[in-house]
């Protein structure tokens, strides 16, 4: 079997029935080999996604139910069959039903989605806050007979739906949303006759087989990485560099809607949604933390008046921990919650000085007069010289 790296480097997307998109550049294990994640594989009810050396690979039939996308921190996985919140009916209540239900059986002001478990808390919060509508998610008791309803390592489809609705209700309530319009789940008795007539119609598009997937992959490689429009915007081109930053769409969907709603009601985003980052005095301003931050939440501020610094935006932070993990000074401490503000915050400031060796500007912390690069080179030279002197000192005298 091809390695995940070979497969994902070929194109920007996985394509199953033209519905499931995979953005290589936004996948944490692809950017940081050895990074543990696997949330997409744990969420897949059909085990279509597996891990190969820690990286996700599509190895089986995919229903494009969207359950993997709700768990992806970075939005690397996306499905194009879910409507945009702003395109929903303009009504006081909106019914959301499974796509197996015929349009004639969907209540007025209703929509159908591939799977209710593919709706994230962020989608529900954004939809409710934008439309001001009460969202009614209709559960008809068919999940147990559906491939998308199978249990995965992180729960059944109903478990995921309940978790998303609970989180959405709490988030909306915390931001001042009308309690009478919070999203609810409506349990509707099963219509046995209708259910029997829909046997096998889990997905209008037949799932692609593993062999068919590789044929599609080869064709996509020839035709180039064609953008798959999921939420009105094409997926970004693949970036195999730490310089390219990820737009964490799912997180921004949730906290962005919460920020708008909270401001409307004179409130703040709850601290449980805001990661907290602190920098100790041992920071030497190397900038490695900002370089590896996948979303740009952590940035080196542009120099002004001979000063610079490090700033942090908790809204863009996905709490992946790469900054703390890669800090050469072990000066960063990250907590996934407890932040006290939604704007960009200054973590540390420093004066800039010219390196006495190369002349480049660098943070003059701890009384240093050399930039980190020159300082390391000087240390290496001294260590090498010391090793050579020690070697000669221990060598026995040559025979006369």
């Amino acid at each position: 079997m091809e390695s995940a790296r070979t497969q994902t480097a070929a194109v920007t997307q996985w394509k199953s029935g033209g519905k499931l998109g995979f953005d290589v550049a936004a996948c944490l294990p692809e950017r940081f080999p050895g990074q543990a994640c696997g949330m997409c594989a744990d969420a897949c009810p059909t085990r279509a996604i597996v891990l190969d050396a820690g990286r996700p690979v599509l190895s089986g039939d995919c229903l494009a139910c969207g359950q993997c996308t709700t768990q992806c921190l970075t939005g690397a996985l996306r499905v194009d069959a879910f409507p945009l919140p702003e395109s929903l009916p303009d009504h006081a209540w909106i019914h959301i039903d499974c796509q197996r239900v015929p349009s004639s059986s969907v209540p007025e002001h209703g929509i159908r989605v591939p799977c209710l478990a593919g709706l994230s808390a962020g989608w529900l919060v954004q939809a409710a806050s934008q439309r001001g509508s009460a969202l009614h998610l209709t559960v008809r008791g068919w999940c147990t007979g559906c491939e998308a309803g199978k249990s995965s390592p992180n729960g059944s489809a109903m478990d995921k739906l309940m978790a998303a609705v609970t989180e959405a209700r709490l988030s909306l309530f915390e931001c001042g949303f009308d309690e009478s319009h919070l999203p609810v789940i409506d349990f509707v008795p099963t219509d046995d006759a209708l259910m029997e007539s829909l046997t096998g119609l889990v997905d209008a598009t037949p799932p692609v087989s593993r062999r068919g997937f590789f044929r599609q992959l080869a064709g996509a490689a020839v035709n180039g990485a064609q953008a798959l429009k999921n939420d009105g915007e094409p997926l970004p081109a693949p970036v195999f560099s730490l310089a390219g930053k990820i737009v964490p769409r799912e997180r921004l969907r949730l906290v962005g809607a919460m920020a708008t709603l909270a401001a409307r009601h004179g409130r703040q985003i709850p601290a449980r949604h805001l990661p907290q980052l602190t920098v100790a005095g041992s920071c030497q301003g190397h900038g490695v933390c900002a370089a590896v931050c996948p979303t740009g939440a952590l940035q080196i501020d542009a120099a002004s008046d001979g000063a610079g610094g490090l700033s942090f935006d908790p809204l863009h932070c996905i709490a992946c921990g790469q900054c703390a993990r890669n800090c050469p000074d072990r000066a960063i401490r990250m907590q996934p919650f407890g932040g006290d503000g939604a704007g960009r915050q200054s973590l540390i400031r420093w004066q800039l000085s010219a390196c006495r060796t190369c002349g480049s500007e660098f943070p003059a912390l701890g009384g240093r007069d050399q930039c980190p690069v020159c300082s390391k080179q000087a240390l290496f030279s001294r260590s090498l010289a010391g090793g050579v002197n020690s070697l000669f000192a221990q060598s026995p005298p040559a025979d006369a």
Side-chain angles (χ1 to χ4, degrees):
M1 186 176 79
E2 292 182 71
S3 70
R5 185 63 182 174
T6 301
Q7 293 179 22
T8 54
V11 291
T12 317
Q13 300 105 13
W14 288 333
K15 298 183 72 176
S16 179
K19 294 181 179 180
L20 178 62
F22 177 46
D23 181 2
V24 182
C27 179
L28 290 180
E30 288 287 348
R31 294 171 70 95
F32 305 103
Q35 166 84 41
C37 185
M39 297 180 71
C40 55
D42 287 344
C44 181
T46 62
R47 309 297 195 273
I49 300 176
V50 297
L51 301 181
D52 179 5
R55 297 183 175 107
V57 55
L58 190 65
S59 65
D61 291 343
C62 171
L63 299 175
C65 64
Q67 294 182 40
C68 58
T69 69
T70 66
Q71 305 301 313
C72 183
L73 294 175
T74 63
L77 289 168
R78 299 161 68 189
V79 171
D80 64 347
F82 290 85
L84 295 171
E86 57 264 29
S87 69
L88 299 180
D90 187 9
H91 199 266
W93 62 85
I94 300 172
H95 293 275
I96 305 176
D97 224 318
C98 170
Q99 71 176 11
R100 298 180 69 186
V101 179
S103 56
S104 59
S105 298
V106 176
E108 187 179 4
H109 310 297
I111 64 169
R112 294 180 298 168
V113 296
C115 180
L116 294 179
L119 296 173
S120 66
W123 190 97
L124 295 171
V125 170
Q126 185 184 19
S129 62
Q130 283 188 353
R131 312 307 286 176
S133 307
L135 305 179
H136 290 255
L137 291 85
T138 307
V139 173
R140 300 174 182 269
W142 299 348
C143 295
T144 55
C146 175
E147 287 292 304
K150 290 182 177 179
S151 292
S152 64
N154 66 353
S156 66
M158 184 56 63
D159 292 333
K160 297 164 192 168
L161 175 60
M162 292 290 290
V165 172
T166 300
E167 175 58 37
R169 287 175 59 88
L170 180 58
S171 299
L172 287 165
F173 175 77
E174 291 172 327
C175 293
F177 193 71
D178 186 347
E179 292 184 47
S180 65
H181 280 56
L182 294 176
V184 296
I185 296 177
D186 293 333
F187 292 93
V188 178
T190 302
D191 183 334
D192 294 332
L194 179 60
M195 182 177 179
E196 184 177 351
S197 69
L198 296 176
T199 300
L201 297 182
V202 177
D203 190 351
T205 304
V208 66
S209 66
R210 185 170 181 269
R211 179 177 297 178
F213 162 69
F214 283 114
R215 282 200 300 266
Q216 289 185 2
L217 184 66
V222 173
N223 297 328
Q226 180 180 3
L228 182 63
K229 296 191 180 215
N230 300 284
D231 60 0
E233 298 179 3
L235 291 174
V239 180
F240 299 102
S241 167
L242 293 180
K245 298 302 181 182
I246 297 169
V247 178
R249 289 181 175 85
E250 188 56 43
R251 170 159 178 79
L252 292 180
R253 166 178 273 173
L254 174 62
V255 296
M258 290 185 68
T260 300
L261 192 60
R264 189 184 305 162
H265 292 89
R267 301 191 182 188
Q268 298 291 329
I269 296 180
R272 69 187 183 89
H273 288 283
L274 301 175
Q276 185 181 48
L277 209 65
T278 55
V279 179
S282 57
C283 171
Q284 297 297 304
H286 295 282
V288 175
C289 56
V292 300
C293 177
T295 66
L298 200 57
Q299 294 181 359
I300 297 293
D301 295 336
S304 176
D305 298 328
L310 188 64
S311 64
F312 173 64
D313 181 359
L315 291 185
H316 283 74
C317 179
I318 58 175
C320 66
Q322 288 295 334
C323 54
R325 192 173 297 116
N326 289 279
C327 176
D329 305 314
R330 298 294 183 265
I332 294 180
R333 182 169 179 261
M334 193 277 293
Q335 291 182 306
F337 54 84
D340 57 0
R344 182 161 287 277
Q345 309 158 5
S346 177
L347 297 179
I348 189 171
R349 300 291 297 173
W350 52 60
Q351 288 298 123
L352 298 177
S353 179
C355 174
R356 65 177 174 83
T357 302
C358 68
S360 64
E361 288 191 329
F362 72 100
L365 296 169
R368 294 183 300 165
D369 59 0
Q370 285 182 304
C371 70
V373 174
C374 292
S375 179
K376 286 184 179 180
Q377 288 178 343
L379 179 61
F380 176 75
S381 297
R382 288 194 297 270
S383 298
L384 181 61
V388 171
N389 291 335
S390 176
L391 179 64
F392 278 109
Q394 295 175 14
S395 298
D399 294 337

